[in-house]
Amino acid sequence: MSNDADGLADLHWMFDMLHHIDVGLVVLDSSYQVQLWNSFMENHSGVSSSIAKEQSLLTLYPELDTGWLRQKLDNVFGLKTPIFISWEQRPFLFPFKSYRPITGIADKMYQNVAIRPLSSPDGSIKQVCLVVYDVTDVATNKMALSAANHKLQRLSQALSR
């Protein structure tokens, strides 16, 4: 096998992995145009990558807090450093439905989001990658535990009177 064939095979499996990994991957350019929209994003948004590609993320999702999101994205571009957004700060970035079993208690998918700068060969940052993690199980379990602890505390206070 030649080096070109090896490189093509490597590119193929990396592309396949990017599209089938169980996290959302969105690559945006400095104008917030979608460059990559993987199958996680397709499956949860109902928007195919062919429709999302080259559209502004802010056009695809006008309900996003655009001022807040622009500030986050511009900071990543300008400072060339990643940021992390926890579901505890903002329950979700994308308003995806929660697809949990019947026992699930959340209507929307809770998300952690990492926004990372992507370096070009010349070292400049022309794109960022949003990595969207579904943390619905963790979030709902933590909220249920917190509610149970509050209830126990109230019961304890009532019994001590």
Side-chain angles (χ1 to χ4, degrees):
M1 206 185 249
S2 70
N3 279 345
D4 287 345
D6 288 343
L8 189 56
D10 288 348
L11 186 60
H12 176 76
W13 69 256
M14 283 190 283
F15 186 75
D16 191 51
M17 180 187 67
L18 286 174
H19 275 281
H20 294 98
I21 193 166
D22 197 28
V23 296
L25 293 174
V26 179
V27 174
L28 302 174
D29 66 15
S30 59
S31 299
Y32 319 122
Q33 304 293 311
V34 174
Q35 304 300 303
L36 175 81
W37 187 264
N38 77 342
S39 57
F40 177 99
M41 296 302 292
E42 285 183 339
N43 294 336
H44 292 287
S45 70
V47 177
S48 73
S49 61
S50 60
I51 290 173
K53 193 164 168 59
E54 302 301 329
Q55 280 201 54
S56 168
L57 181 65
L58 307 177
T59 301
L60 280 173
Y61 280 95
E63 65 272 20
L64 294 175
D65 182 344
T66 56
W68 174 86
L69 184 57
R70 282 178 192 265
Q71 180 184 20
K72 297 292 184 190
L73 294 170
D74 291 347
N75 282 342
V76 173
F77 277 112
L79 299 173
K80 301 179 182 179
T81 186
I83 62 167
F84 183 76
I85 304 158
S86 167
W87 69 269
E88 292 171 298
Q89 297 167 311
R90 180 173 289 265
F92 56 85
L93 178 59
F94 296 97
F96 297 158
K97 288 183 181 176
S98 176
Y99 291 102
R100 295 294 176 213
I102 295 170
T103 57
I105 60 171
D107 292 333
K108 299 282 186 200
M109 174 194 294
Y110 286 86
Q111 302 159 8
N112 284 344
V113 179
I115 306 175
R116 305 190 60 79
L118 299 176
S119 297
S120 297
D122 66 3
S124 64
I125 305 300
K126 295 184 175 133
Q127 298 167 321
V128 296
C129 180
L130 283 73
V131 184
V132 181
Y133 302 90
D134 178 356
V135 294
T136 305
D137 289 339
V138 171
T140 55
N141 287 339
K142 185 171 181 178
M143 289 185 295
L145 180 61
S146 179
N149 283 336
H150 284 2
K151 187 174 183 178
L152 284 173
Q153 185 177 22
R154 285 193 312 271
L155 288 171
S156 174
Q157 289 170 348
L159 290 173
S160 65
R161 289 183 187 158

